Amino acid sequence: MLHANVAILESNEQFAQELKQFFAENTDLNVCGVSDDGIAGVDMIQNTNPDVILLSLILKGIDGFTVLDKLRESGKKYSVIVMGNFANEEIVSTAMSKGAKYYLIKPFAPEVAAARIRYETAKVHRFRKTDT
């Protein structure tokens, strides 16, 4: 079984804790950090190097789109799953063009996020195997 280190950037503390608690109950998912602030979140990501990032578009400091820009500027590739409140095609398209791998519309069950994290982790693992 593959293990995934997950960073959560979410402004809703209750939802962030719900995700964290659910992931803690699954031995293959480890939360390496939680932040409600985009600036602090970027620092956390660079320090913890998560396998997958759950990123809300609405954050303190800087928004999720700006976080995506900063992650791209870092030169490192990240698997980012954006979480948004809107099913607006322009918002989804912008998130994807800035490097998001997937877009989840809130509200969603933690099981949905876990399944997507596992998928992204497996995809990255397969890519690394064929890349070596």
Side-chain angles (χ1 to χ4, degrees):
M1 179 183 297
L2 295 175
H3 294 277
N5 288 316
V6 181
I8 301 171
L9 277 70
E10 169 59 57
S11 59
N12 181 320
E13 185 178 341
Q14 181 180 349
F15 185 54
Q17 289 307 314
E18 182 181 335
L19 290 169
K20 184 178 178 181
Q21 177 63 37
F22 179 82
F23 298 160
E25 295 168 3
N26 292 268
T27 58
D28 63 326
L29 302 173
N30 174 58
V31 176
C32 58
V34 178
S35 180
D36 65 353
D37 182 279
I39 296 168
V42 170
D43 289 340
M44 175 188 65
I45 290 164
Q46 291 173 339
N47 290 327
T48 61
N49 196 28
D51 299 303
V52 179
I53 302 160
L54 287 178
L55 174 64
S56 178
L57 292 176
I58 300 172
L59 298 166
K60 295 177 188 171
I62 58 174
D63 66 21
F65 289 132
T66 306
V67 169
L68 286 168
D69 290 338
K70 292 195 174 294
L71 294 177
R72 187 184 320 169
E73 289 168 8
S74 76
K76 184 162 179 3
K77 294 198 184 271
Y78 293 98
S79 289
V80 181
I81 299 169
V82 170
M83 306 177 290
N85 295 325
F86 307 101
N88 178 296
E89 188 175 319
E90 185 176 338
I91 291 172
V92 175
S93 177
T94 300
M96 302 304 275
S97 71
K98 290 178 176 282
K101 302 294 184 194
Y102 200 77
Y103 187 95
L104 289 172
I105 300 169
K106 297 179 199 174
F108 56 83
E111 295 88 351
V112 173
R116 182 47 59 173
I117 290 166
R118 289 179 180 115
Y119 176 81
E120 289 301 326
T121 302
K123 191 166 68 171
V124 168
H125 182 71
R126 280 193 305 273
F127 175 74
R128 286 183 184 155
K129 270 180 101 172
T130 59
D131 199 34
T132 54

